[in-house]
């Protein structure tokens, strides 16, 4: 059995800990330089994952945008675009979403019930993989490894990040902190309430900190103290 992929969680947050809620008046937390950094991380990944809730609300294409980076991938013997991955327990994803119609191969991880809906809706647009009555993240990573994915970039949303962290499946966190205060009690956060390995007193290892324009990028290893 192939080794599970290295899992990198990527998120942008305000100073008071809130993330973009993908509302019609979107609050863009990153700057141009940080968006370019994220594009580089995408280009270095074998697959990019986004949750079904974020897919519905944000409707992203989820691509490597820089021409040279895509050309470099091809020159290295890789597909022009990383594999695009989404997760949905319900299977309630519309075939008109941009995700399905840009880039290269796509795969959906879902439940038995979700798979029945998606096979009718998506037809040839993506591979559909059921992991049983619930979405099994461990089984998902094993399937991705079998597809040749050694590095997985996870771009949210909060429920997805929470699952990877609470199950001890994340290897690195890229947290970009923007110089903004959202100040809204109901605004979404990076992760949801959960029982995380080691509890609230466990300190992660800081791998690095750097400025990207007016954004600060913090890199953490959640499995290391």
């Amino acid at each position: 059995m192939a080794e599970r992929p290295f899992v990198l969680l990527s998120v942008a947050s305000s100073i008071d800990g809130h993330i973009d809620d993908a509302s019609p008046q979107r609050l863009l937390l990153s700057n141009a330089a940080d968006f370019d950094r994220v594009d580089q991380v995408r280009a270095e990944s074998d697959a990019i994952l986004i949750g079904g809730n974020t897919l519905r609300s944000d409707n992203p294409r989820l691509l490597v945008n820089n021409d040279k980076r895509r050309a470099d991938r091809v020159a290295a013997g890789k597909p022009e675009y990383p594999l695009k991955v989404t997760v949905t327990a319900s299977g309630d994803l519309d075939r008109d979403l941009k995700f399905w119609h840009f880039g290269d191969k796509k795969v959906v991880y879902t439940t038995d019930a979700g798979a029945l809906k998606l096979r009718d809706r998506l037809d040839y647009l993506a591979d559909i993989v059921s992991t049983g009555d619930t979405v099994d993240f461990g089984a998902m990573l094993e399937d991705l490894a079998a597809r040749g994915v050694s590095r997985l970039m996870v771009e949210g949303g909060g429920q997805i990040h929470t699952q990877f962290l609470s199950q001890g499946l994340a290897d690195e966190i890229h947290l970009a902190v923007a110089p903004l205060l959202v100040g809204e009690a109901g605004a979404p956060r990076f992760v949801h309430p959960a029982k995380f390995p080691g509890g609230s007193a466990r300190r992660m290892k800081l791998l690095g900190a750097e400025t990207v324009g007016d954004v600060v990028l913090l890199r953490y290893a959640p499995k290391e103290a």
Side-chain angles (χ1 to χ4, degrees), residues 2-221:
E3 186 177 350
R4 285 180 177 176
F6 182 93
V7 176
L8 185 153
L9 308 186
S10 176
V11 64
S13 166
S14 65
I15 289 176
D16 54 342
H18 297 294
I19 61 174
D20 173 26
D21 62 0
S23 64
Q25 294 77 36
R26 288 195 61 188
L27 175 63
L28 297 180
L29 295 169
S30 295
N31 54 36
D34 191 56
F35 282 127
D36 186 65
R37 175 194 64 79
V38 170
D39 195 65
Q40 176 66 43
V41 178
R42 287 182 179 179
E44 294 169 351
S45 302
D46 300 307
I48 308 169
L49 185 151
I50 189 170
N53 288 338
T54 305
L55 199 59
R56 285 186 290 267
S57 62
D58 203 3
N59 195 17
R61 297 184 305 163
L62 211 66
L63 301 174
V64 175
N65 296 309
N66 183 275
D67 292 341
K68 183 179 184 304
R69 288 174 183 144
R70 296 200 306 272
D72 288 344
R73 286 180 56 86
V74 173
K78 299 179 179 180
E80 183 178 6
Y81 294 99
L83 175 68
K84 298 204 300 185
V85 183
T86 189
V87 179
T88 171
S90 68
D92 292 329
L93 295 176
D94 194 279
R95 68 176 288 115
D96 293 331
L97 291 168
K98 296 175 184 177
F99 180 89
W100 314 118
H101 303 284
F102 294 89
D104 198 350
K105 295 180 179 179
K106 297 97 184 172
V107 60
V108 188
Y109 292 95
T110 185
T111 61
D112 291 341
L116 292 175
K117 297 180 184 179
L118 289 168
R119 290 191 182 106
D120 288 336
R121 293 180 182 179
L122 298 185
D123 194 15
Y124 63 91
L125 293 175
D127 286 346
I128 300 165
V129 179
S130 172
T131 61
D133 293 335
T134 61
V135 177
D136 185 327
F137 279 66
M140 175 179 68
L141 291 179
E142 290 171 1
D143 186 76
L144 286 171
R147 294 170 185 267
V149 174
S150 60
R151 187 173 182 87
L152 173 66
M153 179 184 186
V154 180
E155 296 200 32
Q159 290 183 355
I160 299 298
H161 283 142
T162 302
Q163 288 296 320
F164 277 104
L165 286 167
S166 64
Q167 295 182 41
L169 297 174
D171 298 288
E172 189 169 333
I173 300 171
H174 286 188
L175 174 61
V177 182
L180 299 170
L181 293 170
V182 174
E184 297 181 10
R189 295 182 179 273
F190 170 28
V191 291
H192 297 182
K195 291 184 179 180
F196 297 106
S200 59
R202 184 177 179 276
R203 303 175 73 90
M204 297 182 188
K205 180 179 180 180
L206 179 66
L207 299 175
E210 61 182 282
T211 56
V212 185
D214 62 355
V215 168
V216 177
L217 174 65
L218 302 172
R219 295 172 49 240
Y220 288 100

